[in-house]
Amino acid sequence: MKPMVLAIAAIAVVGALTGCSDSGKGTVTSGSSDAGVPVSAGATESAPQGNSTAAPETAAGAATTKLPSRDDATVDARDYASDGKYYFQSPSGNILCGFIEADGIGTGCQLAHASVVPAELPDCGTRANRAVSAQILGGKGQYRCLSQGIFVGPPLDGGNRGGGKVLGYGQTIIVRGTACTSMSAGVRCDQGGHGFFIAADAQSLF
C-alpha cells in the first residue's frame, strides 16, 4: 500500500511541474522578443521610453553622421529668402549661390569669373557669357556650364547687380538639410556628405 501511495504522489508532483512549465513557456515566448522575435507596434510603444528608442537612435545616428545639424547654422535662412528660394553671395561677390529646391534645380553656386575651369566643362571657359557652376541635385554633386544666372539672387539696395545677401566668411546657412559655408578660399555646399567646393581658382565634387 505504501509504494502505491508514493507512486500516486509522484504522479501528482509531475503533473504540477508540467503545469508550471507551460505557464513559464508562455512567459519566455513573450519575453524573448528582445532576442529577435517580432513584437507588435503596441508592445514596442508601451515599452519604457529609454529601451524603445535606444536602438532606433543608434541606427539613425550611424546613417546620418554626415548630415548637417541645425546647430551648425550660424545665420537664419529666413534672412536670405526670396519668393520661396534662398540666395547668398560671397563677400567678394564672385560666388553666387541659391537653394532652389521647388523648381527641381537643387542647391548650387556659379562664378562671376573663373580663372580655372573643371575638366568636365572643357569649353565653358572659352565661350562668352558662360558661367562655371556646381550644384547638388538628388544627393549628388555635379558641374554645369550656365548661360544665365540660375543661382543668382535679386539685386540688393536698389542696385542692378543680382546676388542676394552676403554670407560672411566662416558663416554657414542650412536650408532643408543642405549646408553651405562661406570661406575665404571659396564656398562648400554639403548634403548628406555629398556636394561641392567652388572658387575662381579651384572646383571639386565629393
Side-chain angles (χ1 to χ4, degrees):
M1 178 67 82
K2 191 170 184 178
M4 184 176 292
V5 171
L6 291 174
I8 293 173
I11 292 172
V13 170
V14 170
L17 289 174
T18 303
C20 289
S21 176
D22 289 343
S23 175
K25 189 180 293 183
T27 302
V28 170
T29 300
S30 61
S32 66
S33 36
D34 289 338
V37 178
V39 294
S40 66
T44 302
E45 291 171 0
S46 63
Q49 187 68 20
N51 293 335
S52 64
T53 60
E57 283 180 354
T58 301
T64 60
T65 52
K66 294 186 178 181
L67 284 172
S69 164
R70 291 180 181 178
D71 296 335
D72 293 332
T74 60
V75 299
D76 189 335
R78 292 173 295 184
D79 294 337
Y80 296 78
S82 177
D83 296 327
K85 303 174 182 66
Y86 303 81
Y87 298 98
F88 70 89
Q89 62 178 304
S90 63
S92 69
N94 192 49
I95 307 175
L96 313 165
C97 306
F99 298 81
I100 318 176
E101 303 297 333
D103 294 339
I105 297 174
T107 298
C109 297
Q110 61 190 81
L111 299 171
H113 305 284
S115 55
V116 172
V117 177
E120 292 85 345
L121 306 177
D123 62 343
C124 194
T126 61
R127 299 167 63 188
N129 300 319
R130 292 294 186 272
V132 172
S133 75
Q135 69 182 139
I136 303 173
L137 186 61
K140 179 182 178 182
Q142 62 186 46
Y143 293 119
R144 292 183 66 181
C145 185
L146 303 178
S147 60
Q148 55 185 314
I150 292 180
F151 299 112
V152 180
L156 297 176
D157 304 323
N160 294 323
R161 183 183 182 279
K165 185 176 178 178
V166 171
L167 185 67
Y169 294 138
Q171 293 186 323
T172 297
I173 179 174
I174 298 179
V175 178
R176 301 184 187 93
T178 300
C180 288
T181 300
S182 174
M183 302 172 284
S184 58
V187 171
R188 172 192 166 101
C189 291
D190 180 289
Q191 183 185 83
H194 298 283
F196 62 84
F197 171 82
I198 189 169
D201 58 356
Q203 304 89 32
S204 63
L205 305 176
F206 54 86

